[in-house]
């Protein structure tokens, strides 16, 4: 993974990510994501790389999804 | 000392049914931390006596995110700050309908469409009215809207469309507001609050605690909330957002949060007092104590740009507390 989904920086280990924050930056290119937050869902999408995570069908409290580390506050595992 | 203060407050609110004075509220606000559980217990008793046991659940969705011209220093949706939140236009109607269905499925009775704007223009008003009609047609939810500063015509149009409650927060005390927002005034907010009531909608007017205001300013805010006379008061706690001027502020301590929840109930005994944004990170393990400190409503699920805990956890908590879920609206 090249970029932190919390701050978008390439040199961040993901520790910037705050509890219960959805991903905000594309882990591939670091662009800001279009993020949809509804009562039960979170969907994050990069205009270049498409959906981030596992489409977050029911992502309550587990905002990040596999592709970005699969744990709130632990956004960049790779 | 604390026992005498609590006894006086109990007599006032439970026996005499008279509001507490500003001096009484200030004295209660200054109680030692060890007295907070007793304060919370009184607030719970007052809530049951004035409002009954029912808890109202609400889902919210950000129908238009980011790009806001205002400079509310706590908000990640202001276009004036470099925050991670990317502006997105008004949601598709399909997304609005899906969010409303999610809300209904968890047992909520309220659904609030929230827009990051100073106030709606003609195009936004049209979109809001279409979204309201859609939610009303496809669910049994009561629909609320939060779209900033309104004109009288806009307030009238929303009321006519069936918006039963309009959210417009005071956020903080008038004396502190200038440290939080410079692009509009506290008095402008107050004016919209009055307009909402004048046009027959229920007023939902909330607070955001933990922005650096003093205890005296919180007591000031209690009085100002009374002046605006809301049906609902959402209680938000600052969840510091990266990139905003308040991004490095400390969280309110959990027990201190309980104190102010209780004080809000004691100051406003008959309102729908809703635990709202920031509650997970602020109260941490004290969610249930919040419910027994005067709260009788919750936002369930996710918030506008941040996530909440699962609605199932909240529903289970309420069941464990023997608190029935239902609607508390006074106009429907």
């Amino acid at each position: 993974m090249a970029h932190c989904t919390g701050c978008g920086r390439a040199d961040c280990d993901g520790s910037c990510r705050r509890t219960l924050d959805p991903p905000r930056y594309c882990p591939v290119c670091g662009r800001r994501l279009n993020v949809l937050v509804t009562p039960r869902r979170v969907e994050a999408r990069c205009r270049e790389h498409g959906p981030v995570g596992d489409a977050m069908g029911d992502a309550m409290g587990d905002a990040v999804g596999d592709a970005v580390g699969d744990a709130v506050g632990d956004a960049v595992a790779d | 000392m604390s026992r005498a203060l609590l006894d006086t407050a109990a007599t006032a609110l439970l026996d005499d049914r008279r509001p507490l004075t500003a001096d009484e509220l200030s004295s209660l606000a200054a109680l030692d931390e060890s007295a907070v559980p007793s304060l919370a217990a009184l607030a719970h008793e007052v809530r049951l006596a004035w409002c009954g046991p029912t808890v109202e659940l609400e889902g919210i969705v950000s129908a238009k995110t980011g790009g806001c011209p205002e400079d509310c220093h706590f908000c990640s949706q202001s276009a004036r700050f470099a925050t991670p939140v990317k502006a997105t236009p008004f949601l598709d109607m399909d997304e609005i309908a899906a969010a409303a269905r999610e809300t209904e499925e968890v047992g909520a009775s309220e659904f609030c469409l929230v827009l990051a704007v100073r106030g709606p223009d003609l195009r936004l008003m049209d979109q809001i009215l279409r979204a309201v009609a859609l939610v009303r047609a496809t669910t049994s939810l009561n629909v609320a809207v939060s779209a900033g500063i309104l004109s009288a015509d806009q307030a009238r149009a929303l009321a006519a469309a069936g918006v039963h409650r309009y959210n417009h927060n005071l956020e903080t005390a008038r004396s502190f507001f200038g440290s939080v927002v410079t692009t509009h005034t506290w008095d402008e907010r107050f004016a919209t609050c009055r307009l909402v009531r004048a046009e027959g909608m229920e007023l939902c007017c909330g607070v955001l605690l933990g922005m650096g205001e003093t205890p005296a300013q919180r007591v000031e805010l209690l009085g100002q909330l009374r002046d605006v006379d809301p049906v609902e008061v959402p209680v938000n706690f600052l969840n510091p957002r990266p990139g905003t001027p308040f991004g490095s502020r400390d969280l309110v301590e959990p027990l201190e949060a309980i104190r102010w929840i209780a004080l809000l109930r004691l100051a406003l005994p008959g309102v729908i007092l809703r635990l709202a944004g920031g509650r997970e990170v602020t109260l941490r393990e004290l969610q249930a104590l919040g419910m027994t400190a005067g709260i009788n409503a919750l936002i369930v699920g996710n918030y506008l740009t941040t996530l909440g805990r699962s609605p199932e956890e909240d529903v289970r908590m309420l069941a464990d507390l023997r608190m029935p879920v239902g609607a508390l609206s006074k106009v429907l």
Side-chain angles (χ1 to χ4, degrees), chain B residues 23-40:
Chain B
D23 284 347
E24 287 171 328
L25 289 167
S26 293
S27 299
L28 292 167
L31 285 176
D32 186 80
E33 197 170 79
S34 62
V36 169
S38 300
L39 191 69

Side-chain angles (χ1 to χ4, degrees), chain A residues 2 6 18 24 28 32 42 45-46 49 54 59 65 71:
Chain A
R18 301 185 187 196
R24 288 289 172 190
V28 179
R32 279 199 303 177
V42 181
R45 185 176 188 85
C46 172
H49 298 101
D54 57 356

